[in-house]
Amino acid sequence: MTTYAFVSPKGGVAKTTSAAEAALTLARAGRRVLAYDLEPQGNFAARLGITPSTDVLYVADDVLDSRSEATLKSAAVASPAVPGVDVVIGTRDLARRDSESETAHAIPDEIVRLGDVYDDIVIDTPPSLHQLVRGALVAADIVIAPVQCATEAYEAVEDELVPYVATRVAARMRPGQQVHWFMPTMAFPNTNSTRDVIELLHEGHPGRVTVPIRHTTEVKDGYTSGLPVGLYRPNSTATQDYALAFKQVLAPSLSAATTH
């Protein structure tokens, strides 16, 4: 089982969009996928077709509650939008977990208890560097940082996320952990800001930068429809770009899928 975590300290960088596309890509490859929504707003679950009327027994907050008998398996519900993907739903109750130190241990512990029910787990996280994110970073085999092609988004990842992983995770809880992939998002190829951010990423992290994901309004429209953009607009530029990016990012799982 491979666990992927999408992480950024800044909101609005297409992190959740990217996580949903990853789940879709893995499911289409025949992988059994769990989408673990650790964002209190629940946008990851919504992008995968979950609505307020979806029948659920437990949510992500219940799984992290030591007094609850909920597990990831019992909390998972089938995505109405993406066959092959189960979803553990994020709700506003998660916000209180972000300040509890035990959260960072509970997230990887629950994933270990899950066993081999799924081939892959895709985790979406809140735009912060608190306990929910820390737990996801400890649990992840592959860490992906979507980076909007804008200076402030680049600085948030470079000056905040990268040092945080090194000092708070790799040095204490998961030796050797790092940001494995940097994914430039919301790219306008003909602008200086896009070119500058991509160049800086390649200079600082050679071999770990994906192809850029071009900006398109269809990304937001897909969210409104409760669909990953790859289902909402299969021929969009973003869909094409994600397909190329995930050949790199999801290689451990996609290569395993081809051998079965």
Side-chain angles (χ1 to χ4, degrees):
M1 183 173 69
T2 304
T3 299
Y4 301 88
F6 286 78
V7 181
S8 172
K10 187 179 185 303
V13 300
K15 174 178 53 61
T16 299
T17 298
S18 302
E21 292 306 303
L24 172 63
T25 301
L26 291 165
R28 282 178 164 173
R31 305 285 286 178
R32 300 168 299 170
V33 182
L34 179 66
Y36 192 0
D37 190 353
L38 287 176
E39 190 177 53
Q41 293 183 343
N43 290 335
F44 189 26
R47 173 69 80 168
L48 295 170
I50 302 297
T51 70
S53 63
T54 301
D55 188 21
V56 299
L57 181 62
Y58 299 113
V59 295
D61 179 68
D62 296 319
V63 176
L64 298 176
D65 188 342
S66 61
R67 300 165 298 177
S68 171
E69 56 187 31
T71 64
L72 284 173
K73 184 177 180 180
S74 64
V77 297
S79 164
V82 186
V85 175
D86 290 346
V87 185
V88 175
I89 299 168
T91 62
R92 295 189 183 279
D93 292 330
L94 278 172
R96 62 183 174 181
R97 303 290 173 199
D98 221 9
S99 60
E100 299 175 353
S101 60
E102 58 265 30
T103 298
H105 298 278
I107 290 169
D109 287 351
E110 287 298 328
I111 288 175
V112 169
R113 292 190 188 103
L114 189 59
D116 61 356
V117 176
Y118 295 96
D119 298 312
D120 301 295
I121 299 177
V122 179
I123 306 177
D124 187 35
T125 59
S128 72
L129 291 176
H130 301 305
Q131 297 302 325
L132 289 168
V133 172
R134 193 177 187 186
L137 288 168
V138 174
D141 299 301
I142 306 291
V143 178
I144 306 102
V147 186
Q148 180 189 0
C149 290
T151 301
E152 61 271 23
Y154 167 77
E155 290 176 345
V157 167
E158 195 67 30
D159 299 340
E160 299 175 38
L161 176 60
V162 172
Y164 182 87
V165 174
T167 61
R168 302 296 298 277
V169 180
R172 301 184 183 186
M173 300 180 71
R174 176 133 186 189
Q177 188 62 291
Q178 63 176 331
V179 178
H180 297 86
W181 289 102
F182 298 82
M183 181 178 288
T185 60
M186 305 171 72
F188 292 88
N190 296 322
T191 63
N192 289 334
S193 61
T194 290
R195 287 193 292 264
D196 290 347
V197 167
I198 293 174
E199 182 178 343
L200 286 168
L201 287 172
H202 279 289
E203 288 177 355
H205 310 283
R208 292 192 283 155
V209 183
T210 73
V211 299
I213 312 300
R214 286 168 285 180
H215 175 80
T216 171
T217 57
E218 292 163 339
V219 169
K220 290 185 177 180
D221 294 340
Y223 174 79
T224 303
S225 300
L227 293 171
V229 68
L231 287 177
Y232 180 73
R233 286 290 184 271
N235 297 320
S236 71
T237 56
T239 300
Q240 296 167 22
D241 296 340
Y242 275 122
L244 292 173
F246 285 140
K247 284 182 179 179
Q248 300 170 287
V249 172
L250 305 178
S253 298
L254 297 181
S255 60
T258 61
T259 62
H260 289 86

